[in-house]
Amino acid sequence: VAEGQAAAAAAVRTVESLYQALSRQDFSAARALFSGDAADQFNPAFFRQFSRVEVADLQPTARSAATITLDGVVSFFYPDGSLQKEARTFTLDTNSDPPRVVASAFGMVVRPRSPNP
């Protein structure tokens, strides 16, 4: 169990670090945290439209010998002050150190874009 918890914690740190890099628009740092297979999910042009992005509530939902899947909520902060939240899944390769995101998928809009109170 401890090994699984350590892998899950490392995967959570990777996704948090990825969104911190995306939020500060440090795309080279972000690029180190995902594989080429997932690159279409982290296009710099998409992330440039936001003043900030955050990820929260990361929970492991599945694991195999080589991967772990996390569910989380991504918050997109727009320059006009509005906010949208989306559920996403992240699949990470746990054989790399640190783990790398190999896939990410949109789940649903948790909160449509609206003024941030």
Side-chain angles (χ1 to χ4, degrees):
V1 173
E3 184 182 311
Q5 288 174 330
V12 166
R13 280 194 301 275
T14 290
V15 176
E16 289 175 340
S17 296
L18 171 59
Y19 275 84
Q20 287 162 3
L22 292 169
S23 190
R24 52 176 201 271
Q25 303 200 1
D26 182 346
F27 299 114
S28 57
R31 183 71 190 83
L33 298 169
F34 59 84
S35 72
D37 294 341
D40 63 324
Q41 296 296 313
F42 303 106
N43 184 327
F46 173 77
F47 284 94
R48 282 193 186 101
Q49 68 183 306
F50 306 108
S51 56
R52 192 166 98 235
V53 290
E54 293 177 355
V55 67
D57 303 329
L58 289 165
Q59 300 293 329
T61 55
R63 64 176 313 125
S64 69
T67 64
I68 187 164
T69 301
L70 304 173
D71 282 357
V73 176
V74 178
S75 297
F76 298 100
F77 296 85
Y78 290 83
D80 68 2
S82 61
L83 166 67
Q84 178 162 312
K85 292 189 176 196
E86 299 177 354
R88 285 196 80 82
T89 60
F90 303 92
T91 302
L92 292 94
D93 174 359
T94 53
N95 289 335
S96 64
D97 184 21
R100 291 176 73 200
V101 176
V102 293
S104 177
F106 169 78
M108 59 182 270
V109 174
V110 177
R111 176 184 163 171
R113 183 174 176 179
S114 57
N116 196 14

